[in-house]
């Protein structure tokens, strides 16, 4: 475990998956992240790479060869090297190796930088294509934020406010794949009330959400989490059944569509990176 902190926040990470496992408001002692209770979901803030969600039949085809990848890819199960570390910043790096090339035939570097400044944690991603050919990948974040159901609060006291959406177009999941159909959730004053029932059919997956800032808050006190992201065109919101957390998930890419032909180069939302190219994106969480 590696910890960084300033006078406002303390963040702890596991080099397994370069995962953020704790974010504490030092003034209040309050833990912002989900506990990782395996009875519901053992994750806390996994990194999704080089795919997001599930592949059709857990397989993809590239250059006439079939490969298998687990749901959400392999980065969350790999040990990252600590490239740089200071009191309020740490940089993790994962690079391709013989094992990764067997299931993902691209040479790459994935850097994840976590930075604390005042009451904000910023997460920067840098993907480099080290192959001698075009590289295809997706990357997503999956942070789970704790919902306080003690001190007279319950899950239904919480809501998500959107900066620029009056409705959400949701792609339902069918056997972990994305339906081509959509359903609409109307928002009153750009607000989505939380409830356990909201996630009864898995995640809310959106491919055309306009907001780039969300606020997770409850209506009984002034505590809130401001969530901002950049260069992630898709978004997911999810919680395990009856669990006291909610995941806010900015994505570059989504699970396979139901009718996908499994060709990696034709996968909806896949990024293509030229030889020697790089890609960046980020998200940040501000604790109020």
């Amino acid at each position: 475990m590696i910890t960084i902190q300033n006078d406002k926040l303390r963040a702890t990470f596991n080099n397994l998956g370069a995962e953020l496992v704790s974010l504490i408001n030092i003034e209040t002692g309050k833990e912002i992240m989900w506990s990782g209770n395996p009875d519901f979901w053992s994750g806390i803030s996994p990194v999704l790479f080089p795919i997001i969600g599930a592949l059709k039949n857990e397989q993809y085809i590239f250059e006439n060869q079939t490969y298998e990848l687990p749901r959400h890819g392999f980065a969350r199960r790999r040990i990252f090297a600590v490239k740089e570390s200071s009191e309020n910043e740490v940089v993790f790096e994962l690079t391709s190796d013989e094992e990764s090339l067997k299931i993902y035939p691209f040479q790459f570097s994935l850097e994840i930088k976590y930075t604390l400044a005042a009451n904000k944690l910023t997460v920067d991603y840098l993907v480099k294509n080290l192959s001698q050919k075009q590289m295809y990948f997706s990357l997503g974040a999956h942070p789970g934020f704790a919902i306080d159901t003690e001190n007279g609060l319950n899950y239904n006291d919480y809501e998500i406010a959107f900066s620029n959406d009056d409705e959400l177009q949701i792609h339902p999941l069918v056997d972990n794949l994305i339906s081509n159909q959509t359903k609409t959730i109307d928002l009153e004053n750009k607000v989505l009330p939380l409830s356990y029932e909201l996630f009864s059919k898995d995640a809310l997956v959106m491919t055309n959400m306009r907001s780039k800032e969300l606020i997770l808050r409850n209506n009984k006190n002034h505590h809130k989490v401001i969530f901002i992201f950049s260069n992630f065109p898709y978004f997911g919101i999810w919680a395990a059944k009856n669990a006291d957390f909610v995941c806010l998930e900015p994505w570059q890419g989504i699970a396979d569509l139901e009718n996908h032909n499994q060709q990696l180069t034709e996968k909806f939302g896949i990024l293509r990176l030229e030889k020697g190219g790089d890609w960046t994106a980020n998200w940040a969480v501000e604790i109020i």
Side-chain angles (χ1 to χ4, degrees):
M1 296 292 178
I2 294 173
T3 297
I4 61 175
Q5 78 174 62
N6 59 17
D7 59 344
K8 300 288 186 182
L9 298 172
R10 179 168 64 250
T12 301
F13 311 91
N14 192 337
N15 65 348
L16 176 62
E19 184 173 14
L20 168 67
V21 296
S22 175
L23 181 63
I24 293 176
N25 182 332
I26 292 176
E27 181 181 357
T28 65
K30 182 179 177 64
E31 175 63 72
I32 306 303
M33 306 307 296
W34 160 244
S35 66
N37 182 345
D39 291 340
F40 297 94
W41 178 52
S42 60
I44 299 174
S45 183
V47 177
L48 316 183
F49 175 89
I51 60 167
I52 293 166
L55 296 172
K56 192 173 185 179
N57 300 325
E58 298 185 347
Q59 297 177 330
Y60 70 92
I61 301 169
F62 180 72
E63 294 182 339
N64 297 318
Q65 185 169 341
T66 299
Y67 298 87
E68 294 187 1
L69 274 179
R71 191 179 187 191
H72 293 322
F74 56 77
R76 62 191 178 133
R77 305 300 185 201
R78 303 295 294 274
I79 298 293
F80 281 64
V82 178
K83 189 174 181 179
E84 299 175 24
S85 181
S86 65
E87 184 178 4
N88 53 26
E89 182 176 285
V90 61
V91 180
F92 293 94
E93 183 179 27
L94 178 69
T95 55
S96 50
D97 57 23
E98 289 185 8
E99 290 304 309
S100 70
L101 289 169
K102 293 176 183 177
I103 56 176
Y104 181 64
F106 304 98
Q107 295 179 318
F108 69 88
S109 165
L110 166 59
E111 291 185 14
I112 305 173
K113 179 171 71 172
Y114 295 96
T115 307
L116 289 177
N119 59 339
K120 179 187 288 187
L121 172 68
T122 300
V123 186
D124 291 290
Y125 302 93
L126 170 61
V127 177
K128 297 178 181 179
N129 180 9
L130 307 180
S131 299
Q132 299 300 308
K133 58 187 175 184
Q134 290 178 334
M135 171 181 165
Y136 295 83
F137 74 97
S138 291
L139 187 147
H142 199 314
F145 297 101
I147 298 293
D148 187 357
T149 56
E150 299 179 349
N151 305 310
L153 299 172
N154 62 60
Y155 201 91
N156 296 69
D157 292 325
Y158 283 77
E159 61 190 20
I160 300 172
F162 294 76
S163 62
N164 201 30
D165 287 279
D166 297 305
E167 64 179 25
L168 303 177
Q169 294 291 327
I170 306 299
H171 291 265
L173 286 164
V174 180
D175 295 327
N176 293 324
L177 302 181
I178 303 294
S179 171
N180 290 314
Q181 306 298 316
T182 61
K183 67 174 184 178
T184 301
I185 297 179
D186 292 318
L187 304 179
E188 184 174 349
N189 297 321
K190 297 183 171 63
V191 169
L192 175 70
L194 290 188
S195 67
Y196 293 133
E197 294 75 23
L198 188 63
F199 307 107
S200 62
K201 296 183 179 179
D202 213 318
L204 309 183
V205 176
M206 292 154 282
T207 58
N208 62 353
M209 192 179 84
R210 294 180 296 176
S211 298
K212 299 301 180 185
E213 178 179 313
L214 285 68
I215 300 175
L216 173 64
R217 65 195 184 197
N218 67 61
N219 52 35
K220 289 192 174 180
N221 62 39
H222 298 294
H223 297 303
K224 58 186 177 182
V225 171
I226 301 175
F227 190 86
I228 304 166
F229 58 98
S230 175
N231 207 26
F232 288 106
Y234 314 123
F235 205 86
I237 303 174
W238 175 77
K241 183 179 180 180
N242 297 329
D244 293 332
F245 70 88
V246 64
C247 290
L248 304 180
E249 307 181 42
W251 296 336
Q252 174 59 74
I254 59 173
D256 277 353
L257 300 179
E258 285 183 287
N259 60 352
H260 181 46
N261 62 12
Q262 297 183 274
Q263 294 289 336
L264 184 66
T265 59
E266 300 173 27
K267 178 176 170 62
F268 181 85
I270 199 77
L271 271 174
R272 183 179 66 187
L273 200 55
E274 298 297 328
K275 170 186 172 182
D278 58 49
W279 172 88
T280 61
N282 65 75
W283 61 269
V285 57
E286 185 176 359
I287 310 305
I288 304 298

